[in-house]
Amino acid sequence: MHPTIEWKDGQVVMIDQRRLPLEEIYLELHDEDRVAEAIETMVIRGAPAIGIAAAYGFALGVIRLKPGADIAAEVDRIQARLWETRPTARNLFWALERMRRVFETGRGLPLARLQERLLAEAMAIDREDEDICRRIGAHGAVLIPDGATVLTHCNAGGLATAGYGTAIGVIRAAWEAGKKIRVLADETRPFLQGARLTAWELGRLGVPYQVITDNAAGWLIHTGEVQIAVVGADRIARNGDAANKIGTYSVAVLCHENDIPFTVAAPISTFDFSLAHGGLIPIEERPAAEVREINGRLIVPQDAAVRNPAFDVTPARYITAIITERGVARPPYESSLAPWRD
Ligand code: MRU
């Protein structure tokens, strides 16, 4: 399987997630603007993958600078362009801040040396993610009962990371450990990450799954078909409130009502310890066309007004456990997460 994103011959190569599962097309991006556009238009999406793309975009922007350029001003411009692409995923800002630190410590170096260091850092962010996800998978697999039906929402798999996945990483680690599990994948309107991407990934992994409409989740949870829910996160506040794809909150409330564990799998880079609670997490509003159309075809009256919030925040009280690369945190999160602050 081709990686979600990679550095190849001086450019950033990524699979176009808008075209999956019908077409597997790889885009070659030559400058930071193209990378920023790819993040905005969701060629690449998923919090950790957005962070990796931004890191490569940062490096690419500096690599394109010519000797004699005003490097500090150019770096500000490159960083600002990538910074504004999507507001919710903490990993975007975490990766850009990490790249910025490398730039700051390398100020005064010859441009070629600085470029080398920035590319090495972006590659490290990419490489480390795979290892982090494998550790999340190992910690989380223990929570999945043998024989369970696992519900997941959106896509928190290889496509949303460097290649292994967070929530799907937990599912695949349980599967690889020999547990006989089955997955229910919410289709995840409007971008259909579950129907298109999670289904594509699980099919390739050989994990049995069924795609369900988002509005079928409640009934299937209520009738006892689901034993545990595992989802990813875009940003987690220090009290454990977790932002994830719109619809996650509904799944969490339904799990709570029906006494089913609702778990969140995410790397520490998704945590925003500066935020006391999830009400402070910026929620992205995406273009109306994503709701108005399916595959470019209008499905509402021409003049219909729509809302398209891309994320919601699940209050910590509905979250049974948060699975990270350092272990599994349980409520109360304010204290269980505290040791993982930098
Ligand atoms: O809008 P998206 O597709 O970027 O949203 C993705 C999600 O909500 C994922 O669940 C989250 O980023 C975790 S990805 C490991």
Side-chain angles (χ1 to χ4, degrees):
M1 183 166 163
H2 198 285
T4 307
I5 179 167
E6 68 176 333
W7 180 266
K8 205 171 174 190
D9 305 328
Q11 54 198 4
V12 181
V13 180
M14 55 179 77
I15 190 164
D16 188 343
Q17 300 193 27
R18 299 167 306 180
R19 314 283 280 270
L20 286 171
L22 302 181
E23 291 172 298
E24 290 180 32
I25 291 173
Y26 294 89
L27 302 184
E28 295 171 352
L29 309 177
H30 305 92
D31 64 47
E32 71 281 3
D33 245 333
R34 298 288 93 71
V35 175
E37 277 169 23
I39 297 171
E40 284 163 347
T41 58
M42 293 170 66
V43 166
I44 191 159
R45 30 64 51 201
I50 290 170
I52 295 164
Y56 278 129
F58 193 117
L60 190 56
V62 177
I63 286 169
R64 284 171 49 83
L65 296 179
K66 301 274 177 296
D70 181 345
I71 296 175
E74 288 295 324
V75 165
D76 283 349
R77 182 188 57 74
I78 292 162
Q79 184 176 339
R81 176 68 188 97
L82 293 159
W83 193 273
E84 70 189 5
T85 49
R86 295 194 72 190
T88 305
R90 170 66 196 141
N91 307 63
L92 170 70
F93 310 104
W94 169 86
L96 289 173
E97 283 161 5
R98 192 165 149 176
M99 296 299 287
R100 180 80 198 197
R101 280 197 296 276
V102 171
F103 166 69
E104 293 299 341
T105 52
R107 262 179 197 265
L109 285 174
L111 182 57
R113 289 281 300 122
L114 186 63
Q115 291 166 334
E116 268 170 32
R117 281 198 186 186
L118 287 167
L119 180 57
E121 189 69 5
M123 286 177 158
I125 289 172
D126 186 356
R127 204 176 42 246
E128 287 164 18
D129 183 78
E130 168 111 19
D131 177 55
I132 286 167
C133 286
R134 283 183 185 275
R135 284 191 274 147
I136 291 172
H139 288 301
V142 179
L143 307 181
I144 308 289
D146 196 7
T149 293
V150 185
L151 182 106
T152 192
H153 190 74
C154 193
N155 171 266
L159 291 165
T161 63
Y164 193 81
T166 55
I168 300 291
V170 168
I171 289 166
R172 93 190 249 187
W175 176 255
E176 283 160 10
K179 293 187 179 175
K180 302 260 176 295
I181 55 171
R182 162 177 93 109
V183 177
L184 292 179
D186 285 353
E187 63 178 349
T188 320
R189 273 282 287 153
F191 198 70
L192 301 175
Q193 290 94 330
R196 299 188 302 105
L197 309 178
T198 297
W200 184 75
E201 283 192 23
L202 291 174
R204 290 182 144 216
L205 292 169
V207 178
Y209 71 90
Q210 289 168 308
V211 175
I212 59 169
T213 60
D214 297 329
N215 36 2
W219 180 244
L220 295 175
I221 291 170
H222 180 67
T223 51
E225 270 203 44
V226 177
Q227 280 69 53
I228 185 168
V230 189
V231 301
D234 276 75
R235 199 188 288 228
I236 303 175
R238 68 168 177 264
N239 71 343
D241 292 351
N244 192 49
K245 180 51 53 194
I246 193 78
T248 302
Y249 167 70
S250 317
V251 172
V253 173
L254 289 160
C255 285
H256 181 79
E257 168 69 15
N258 292 281
D259 266 330
I260 304 231
F262 175 86
T263 63
V264 173
I268 304 288
S269 52
T270 298
F271 288 80
D272 189 340
F273 290 106
S274 75
L275 301 184
H277 60 83
L280 301 169
I281 298 175
I283 299 296
E284 177 182 16
E285 289 269 346
R286 301 269 318 157
E290 289 179 359
V291 175
R292 288 204 178 112
E293 297 165 8
I294 293 184
N295 280 343
R297 278 185 90 101
L298 194 68
I299 57 155
V300 298
Q302 194 90 44
D303 57 353
V306 300
R307 280 289 307 280
N308 189 13
F311 298 96
D312 57 30
V313 177
T314 297
R317 66 177 178 281
Y318 295 131
I319 303 175
T320 315
I322 302 180
I323 306 154
T324 77
E325 68 271 33
R326 297 215 204 157
V328 177
R330 302 270 184 181
Y333 294 110
E334 190 86 43
S335 51
S336 62
L337 297 175
W340 298 336
R341 286 188 194 196
D342 282 332

